[in-house]
Amino acid sequence: MTKTPKFSRIVEALPPTVPFVPPEEMERQFGRKVILRLGANESSFGLSPKARAAMEQAAEESYLYGDATSHELRTKLAARLGIGTQHLVIGSGIDELLGLIARAFLDPGSGVTTSEGGYPTFNYHVEGYGGVLHTVPYRSDFYNDLDGLARSARETRSRLVYLANPDNPTGTFYTADEIARFRKQLPSDCLLILDEAYVEFAPEDQIYPIDPDDPQVIRTRTFSKAYGMAGARIGYAIAHPEIVQVFEKIRNHFGVNRMAQAGAAAALEDVEFLRQVVQGVKKGRQEYEELARKTGVRAIPSHTNFVAIDAGSKENAQALLEALWKQGVFVRAPQAAPLHRCIRVTIGTPEERRQFAAVFEKIMQTSPTS
Amino acid sequence: MTKTPKFSRIVEALPPTVPFVPPEEMERQFGRKVILRLGANESSFGLSPKARAAMEQAAEESYLYGDATSHELRTKLAARLGIGTQHLVIGSGIDELLGLIARAFLDPGSGVTTSEGGYPTFNYHVEGYGGVLHTVPYRSDFYNDLDGLARSARETRSRLVYLANPDNPTGTFYTADEIARFRKQLPSDCLLILDEAYVEFAPEDQIYPIDPDDPQVIRTRTFSKAYGMAGARIGYAIAHPEIVQVFEKIRNHFGVNRMAQAGAAAALEDVEFLRQVVQGVKKGRQEYEELARKTGVRAIPSHTNFVAIDAGSKENAQALLEALWKQGVFVRAPQAAPLHRCIRVTIGTPEERRQFAAVFEKIMQTSPTS
């Protein structure tokens, strides 16, 4: 009969849940080694040698706290993006920034709109701060339902609406015009969180332009995906200066790793490395599309470093997921309809793709989707 | 007339404040270079070469997320501390863990007791989650007033009481018996946060023993100080398993840098390096004590990697702080009485101490404390 002191009302009421079980924990739980790690959209292409060198050099100085204002990185990002440093807040990954946003904008009971089957960690933070989720199913073509999201935001008086673009877990992408139209449909007291974790993989001329003084849009971006620095934990948000000022009142000021700051600043400079990654990923997407076609299923056209493969039914997708896992292939499968027909596979290196194709074809021959 | 969407009630009401202005920002604001960085209790002795090598090696793999459960590090810590992994939660430094504790235990208006002039970042988090601070002045001998803290906890029905031991910013230390006596004075619904950031510098046989199944005590520890890894951002809390389980419901699961995890695990093994740091710091404390004596002031006996020097009055301390800063020496001075008579100086390397002594003696000759 232990008696811990009382927890907060919000926290006490939360169910025991984690947004993702990491592959290391799956290995331990199942006593099985992950052979192909293609489930977390990490960049198999690694990180820029320049970023790595900067991190190694910073390791020597890691007895010093990093700059709590991430001044150098913010200055470089601002120049690159054509905005001011006052529009930028750095966090230890988008996950932390989504938590910060939820905390800054939600009172207990505040409504929040997102797609059903959208990013679980966003939902985790919303519920963790006492927000109430209103979800809108994906369209049958696996696109986010923008009209539905805007309608939900209005009808539920949501304070936040979340949209990943390019989308995770589908890989779909909305152009600047489509996002602009969506933005206009939102009530004036609703904030759009545009999660652009995969933006570097999208067609540059079709990305919704940055208007950093729009008080109703926050964009989140990261060095975890195209820059290949997931383990470094560093990302940023672009927001109206008044919003950034409010984050200053609550954020964990010394939370960003010193090596990550140095690595991110160096990664930004290595434009050629990024170009190669984006190129390599594009090639990988084509291979996965071809592989899907060859095995009688369909890949959803992707603008990210992963491809969602439509296995035709929830049962097929689950069977596929399990068959892959038995072979040590770690991928993920969304749980909500209609996405539950899909498995999501990260674009690996050419060698990883070869290995994945071999396992996948073999499984498909013994017909989990027939 | 910008109109941002509405912020949460708690956040809206917060004043614009940051717990600490980093030295990099002070340099920019004053247009002055920090020559001696002795204000943040970073370890001038650096980090273990083994930890550094482990971090450099992990840099190569930093395209992969770190293990969200920090399994390896928790396993090693548990073995070292004679507890179970279920008693441990890893965070990106004690700062993050203090935020997590405040969030887990505080409702808006919940009372919290701490020393007046205690760790500002703890206060920042308490207020950031809507808690109400009740502060108890330090005793005139610069020790935390344990009886006063326990009385305040009872009278204000505080949910949390914070005590740093060894203490920051004074360097004082309470033995196991004294902490045990304090623990017994607390009401059964009050949680003691024992911040042991500097515990490696304390006499080992006098440290309050770990009872990980005590539901009323959380201890926070870090790799930032004796282990010299402040920039890596990694620390841990030791708590009752039920409390750890509750943290699992709200913590940022993928928040800890992969290199930091590898570095911390390696640092734990390098017992000899730690011994040398503790030894070197001890020597440095003696030097600072001697320097104080020589210049007509008094050093508070310290059990940390810094020394608080009592300049005799608030005015003296401020004059000293400013005179040092003019010479590019970055130290800090607490603001609350009676601590405001002191400046707090980190133990530097022998060379840094030599430089500090030279500047300090010169200033004292031209008498800011006479």
Side-chain angles (χ1 to χ4, degrees):
Chain A
M1 293 285 92
T2 319
K3 198 164 165 294
T4 67
K6 223 165 98 176
F7 295 104
S8 90
R9 277 186 296 273
I10 292 175
V11 170
E12 179 71 44
L14 289 173
T17 178
V18 298
F20 289 109
V21 177
E24 293 84 354
E25 185 61 25
M26 290 169 62
E27 285 183 329
R28 287 186 290 269
Q29 280 179 13
F30 290 84
R32 181 179 299 158
K33 209 72 194 143
V34 169
I35 293 159
L36 282 176
R37 183 161 158 149
L38 301 174
N41 305 334
E42 295 154 328
S43 184
S44 293
F45 301 86
L47 68 160
S48 151
K50 287 174 188 163
R52 188 179 150 192
M55 290 206 294
E56 286 180 6
Q57 203 184 323
E60 190 180 346
E61 287 175 353
S62 61
Y63 65 99
L64 301 171
Y65 288 101
D67 177 3
T69 70
S70 298
H71 181 77
E72 187 199 347
L73 178 59
R74 277 165 62 241
T75 303
K76 285 192 176 172
L77 277 170
R80 173 68 54 90
L81 299 168
I83 58 178
T85 53
Q86 74 276 18
H87 298 114
L88 285 165
V89 58
I90 310 294
S92 56
I94 289 180
D95 283 2
E96 187 193 37
L97 293 166
L98 292 176
L100 198 64
I101 295 167
R103 182 177 167 198
F105 287 98
L106 301 182
D107 287 309
S110 296
V112 174
T113 288
T114 188
S115 294
E116 192 175 340
Y119 191 47
T121 307
F122 175 67
N123 301 356
Y124 171 81
H125 286 309
V126 167
E127 292 179 332
Y129 287 104
V132 175
L133 282 167
H134 303 283
T135 59
V136 178
Y138 277 74
R139 299 189 330 203
S140 58
D141 62 357
F142 301 117
Y143 274 73
N144 288 284
D145 180 359
L146 297 189
D147 292 336
L149 288 166
R151 190 165 48 243
S152 165
R154 283 193 304 272
E155 288 176 0
T156 66
R157 308 197 57 165
S158 280
R159 291 213 185 160
L160 306 174
V161 56
Y162 174 90
L163 179 72
N165 193 51
D167 185 59
N168 177 16
T170 66
T172 59
F173 173 67
Y174 278 117
T175 63
D177 288 348
E178 292 163 321
I179 298 292
R181 197 175 145 266
F182 175 56
R183 159 75 187 85
K184 282 195 199 106
Q185 286 180 267
L186 298 178
S188 67
D189 54 356
C190 177
L191 184 80
L192 169 59
I193 304 172
L194 203 54
D195 185 343
E196 299 186 319
Y198 298 94
V199 74
E200 294 83 5
F201 300 109
E204 218 175 323
D205 57 347
Q206 291 175 46
I207 296 166
Y208 183 60
I210 296 177
D211 173 5
D213 289 316
D214 182 345
Q216 273 187 258
V217 178
I218 293 190
R219 311 165 82 118
T220 53
R221 296 184 173 186
T222 184
F223 289 90
S224 296
K225 303 301 178 184
Y227 290 101
M229 291 171 57
R233 310 285 53 229
I234 187 159
Y236 58 100
I238 307 168
H240 187 281
E242 279 183 29
I243 295 176
V244 172
Q245 281 306 311
V246 166
F247 291 153
E248 290 298 304
K249 299 197 294 183
I250 55 170
R251 73 184 182 91
N252 184 17
H253 286 262
F254 288 85
V256 180
N257 180 290
R258 187 181 182 96
M259 291 167 280
Q261 290 190 37
L268 265 188
E269 307 284 319
D270 198 346
V271 179
E272 177 52 23
F273 177 81
L274 186 69
R275 202 192 58 75
Q276 283 171 21
V277 169
V278 170
Q279 204 58 32
V281 163
K282 197 171 173 182
K283 190 160 182 303
R285 286 197 306 246
Q286 287 161 355
E287 281 183 29
Y288 281 0
E289 280 166 28
E290 182 52 35
L291 175 68
R293 218 174 353 251
K294 209 170 134 187
T295 50
V297 287
R298 197 180 76 91
I300 303 171
S302 167
H303 296 77
T304 61
N305 72 344
F306 60 85
V307 168
I309 295 174
D310 178 2
S313 73
K314 184 182 179 179
E315 292 66 32
N316 287 350
Q318 280 303 314
L320 200 44
L321 185 77
E322 281 162 34
L324 286 165
W325 177 233
K326 275 195 188 139
Q327 303 293 317
V329 181
F330 161 57
V331 301
R332 293 204 193 266
Q335 295 302 305
L339 310 183
H340 60 192
R341 283 163 39 184
C342 304
I343 62 162
R344 193 195 66 181
V345 190
T346 305
I347 309 294
T349 58
E351 172 57 20
E352 285 173 328
R353 297 189 313 251
R354 200 194 54 71
Q355 289 181 44
F356 176 73
V359 176
F360 190 79
E361 284 187 64
K362 203 166 170 196
I363 292 171
M364 294 299 280
Q365 275 163 15
T366 54
S367 78
T369 69
S370 63
Chain B
M1 291 291 94
T2 319
K3 196 162 166 294
T4 67
K6 225 166 97 176
F7 295 104
S8 90
R9 278 187 295 272
I10 292 174
V11 170
E12 179 70 46
L14 290 173
T17 178
V18 298
F20 288 110
V21 177
E24 292 85 354
E25 185 62 24
M26 291 169 63
E27 286 183 329
R28 287 186 291 268
Q29 281 179 13
F30 290 85
R32 180 179 298 156
K33 210 70 197 143
V34 169
I35 293 159
L36 282 177
R37 183 162 158 148
L38 301 174
N41 305 335
E42 295 154 326
S43 184
S44 293
F45 301 87
L47 67 161
S48 151
K50 287 175 189 165
R52 189 179 150 193
M55 291 206 292
E56 286 180 6
Q57 202 184 325
E60 191 179 346
E61 289 174 353
S62 63
Y63 65 99
L64 301 172
Y65 288 101
D67 178 2
T69 69
S70 298
H71 181 78
E72 187 199 346
L73 178 58
R74 279 165 61 242
T75 303
K76 284 191 176 173
L77 276 170
R80 173 68 53 90
L81 299 168
I83 59 178
T85 54
Q86 74 276 19
H87 298 113
L88 285 164
V89 58
I90 310 294
S92 54
I94 288 180
D95 283 3
E96 187 194 36
L97 293 165
L98 292 176
L100 197 64
I101 294 167
R103 183 177 167 199
F105 287 98
L106 301 182
D107 286 308
S110 296
V112 173
T113 288
T114 188
S115 294
E116 192 175 340
Y119 190 48
T121 307
F122 175 68
N123 301 356
Y124 171 81
H125 286 309
V126 167
E127 291 178 332
Y129 287 103
V132 176
L133 282 166
H134 303 283
T135 59
V136 177
Y138 277 74
R139 300 187 332 200
S140 59
D141 62 359
F142 301 116
Y143 273 73
N144 288 285
D145 180 358
L146 296 189
D147 292 336
L149 288 166
R151 190 164 48 242
S152 165
R154 282 193 306 272
E155 288 175 1
T156 67
R157 309 198 54 167
S158 282
R159 290 214 187 159
L160 305 174
V161 56
Y162 174 91
L163 180 71
N165 193 50
D167 185 58
N168 177 15
T170 66
T172 59
F173 173 69
Y174 277 117
T175 62
D177 288 348
E178 291 162 321
I179 298 291
R181 197 175 144 268
F182 175 55
R183 160 72 187 88
K184 281 197 200 104
Q185 286 180 268
L186 298 178
S188 67
D189 54 356
C190 177
L191 184 79
L192 169 59
I193 304 172
L194 203 54
D195 185 345
E196 299 185 320
Y198 298 93
V199 74
E200 294 83 5
F201 300 108
E204 217 175 322
D205 58 346
Q206 290 174 49
I207 297 166
Y208 182 59
I210 296 177
D211 173 5
D213 289 315
D214 182 344
Q216 276 187 256
V217 177
I218 292 190
R219 310 165 85 119
T220 54
R221 295 184 173 186
T222 184
F223 289 90
S224 296
K225 302 301 177 187
Y227 290 101
M229 292 172 56
R233 309 284 56 225
I234 187 158
Y236 58 99
I238 307 167
H240 187 279
E242 279 183 29
I243 294 176
V244 172
Q245 280 306 311
V246 166
F247 291 153
E248 290 297 305
K249 300 197 292 182
I250 56 170
R251 74 183 181 92
N252 183 18
H253 285 262
F254 288 86
V256 180
N257 181 288
R258 186 179 181 96
M259 290 167 282
Q261 289 189 37
L268 266 187
E269 307 284 319
D270 198 347
V271 179
E272 178 53 23
F273 178 82
L274 185 70
R275 201 192 58 77
Q276 284 171 20
V277 170
V278 171
Q279 204 59 32
V281 163
K282 197 171 174 182
K283 190 160 183 301
R285 287 197 307 246
Q286 287 161 355
E287 281 183 31
Y288 281 180
E289 279 166 29
E290 182 52 35
L291 174 69
R293 218 173 357 248
K294 208 169 134 188
T295 51
V297 287
R298 196 181 76 93
I300 303 172
S302 168
H303 297 77
T304 62
N305 71 344
F306 60 84
V307 168
I309 295 174
D310 179 2
S313 73
K314 183 182 179 177
E315 293 67 32
N316 287 350
Q318 280 303 315
L320 201 44
L321 185 75
E322 281 162 34
L324 286 165
W325 177 231
K326 276 195 187 136
Q327 304 294 314
V329 181
F330 162 57
V331 302
R332 294 204 192 265
Q335 295 303 304
L339 310 184
H340 61 192
R341 283 164 40 185
C342 304
I343 61 162
R344 191 197 67 181
V345 191
T346 306
I347 308 296
T349 58
E351 173 57 21
E352 286 173 328
R353 296 188 317 247
R354 201 194 54 70
Q355 288 180 44
F356 175 75
V359 176
F360 189 81
E361 284 186 65
K362 203 164 171 199
I363 293 171
M364 295 298 279
Q365 275 162 15
T366 54
S367 78
T369 67
S370 65

